[in-house]
Amino acid sequence: MARVSQAHLDARRRQVLDGAARCFARNGFHATSMQDVLRESELSAGAVYRYFAGKEEIVAAIATEAFGVIRAAFAEAAATVPPPTPDVLLGRVLRAVFDQAPPEGDRQAFARLIVQVWTETLRNPALAAALDEGYTAMRAAWTGLVGSYRATGLMPPGPEADHVARTLIATAQGFIAQQALFGDADPAVVEDGLRALASMRTAPAPETP
C-alpha cells in the first residue's frame, strides 16, 4: 500500500478547513451541518473524519488559526525596530490579518468568521481560554511597544502603557467588526484616521485676567 505523504495529508486537512470556513462565514457555526462541510470541501465523510471527529473540532481548529493569525500579526508589528507609528503598525497588522482571507479573498466573509469566533468563546470554555491567552500576549507585546515609543521620544510620558496598548487592540478589533458588518473597509481608512487624530493639538488654556 502506497504511503501517503505528509504534504498530501496537510493539503486535505486544509481543504476541509477552507470548505468549513466558507460554510461558517455564510451560515454561521450552528446553522452549518457536517453534511454542508462535506459538500463544500468536496471530500468523502471518511476523508473528513480522518482529520476531525466532528464539527466542534473543526470550529476549534479554525478558531485557533484565527487567534494565531491575529496574534502573530500583532507580535511581528510590535517587534519592528525602530517601531513605526501606530497608524503604520495597525495598517500592517490589518493587512496581515486579511491576507489570510479564504481562497476567494472575501475580506468581509473572513471578518464575519473572526467575529463568530469571538462570539463562540462566550459558550466554549476552551476557545475562551485560547482567546484570553492570545489577548494577554498581544497586550504584553504592545505594552512593550509603547515603552519603545517613549524610549525613542515618539510618545511623551502619560497614561499607563497597558491602557495605550488596549486602545490600539480595540481599534483593530473595531475595524474587523466594521468589515464584518458593512464591508468595504480598507486598512488605509484606519491609517488616515489615526494620523488625523494624532495631529490634533490641545487648545491652549484661556488666560486668566
Side-chain angles (χ1 to χ4, degrees), residues 25-64:
R26 280 197 308 266
N27 305 318
F29 288 143
H30 301 293
T32 297
S33 68
M34 281 301 291
Q35 287 301 315
D36 295 328
V37 174
L38 296 178
R39 282 193 297 270
E40 189 71 30
S41 61
E42 299 181 337
L43 292 172
S44 67
V48 171
Y49 285 110
R50 177 174 187 169
Y51 303 101
F52 303 100
K55 190 174 71 171
E56 288 296 319
E57 284 194 7
I58 296 176
V59 170
I62 288 175
T64 300

Side-chain angles (χ1 to χ4, degrees), residues 45-187:
V48 171
Y49 285 110
R50 177 174 187 169
Y51 303 101
F52 303 100
K55 190 174 71 171
E56 288 296 319
E57 284 194 7
I58 296 176
V59 170
I62 288 175
T64 300
E65 282 196 351
F67 295 152
V69 166
I70 297 172
R71 178 177 173 176
F74 269 88
E76 182 179 353
T80 304
V81 180
T85 52
D87 56 310
V88 175
L89 274 171
L90 280 178
R92 186 175 298 170
V93 166
L94 292 166
R95 288 186 178 89
V97 168
F98 286 118
D99 279 348
Q100 304 298 316
E104 293 78 4
D106 187 337
R107 287 185 170 189
Q108 186 171 19
F110 189 56
R112 286 174 176 168
L113 188 61
I114 293 173
V115 171
Q116 287 185 66
V117 167
W118 292 339
T119 304
E120 191 68 8
T121 63
L122 300 178
R123 59 170 293 277
N124 187 318
L127 292 185
L131 178 64
D132 184 72
E133 179 185 354
Y135 179 60
T136 299
M138 284 190 288
R139 282 175 63 182
W142 283 62
T143 297
L145 175 69
V146 174
S148 297
Y149 283 150
R150 287 177 172 161
T152 56
L154 291 172
M155 181 181 290
E160 291 184 28
D162 179 64
H163 294 181
V164 181
R166 291 175 66 177
T167 300
L168 290 170
I169 294 171
T171 302
Q173 290 173 321
F175 178 88
I176 292 171
Q178 280 191 18
Q179 180 72 286
L181 293 170
F182 311 114
D184 193 29
D186 191 280

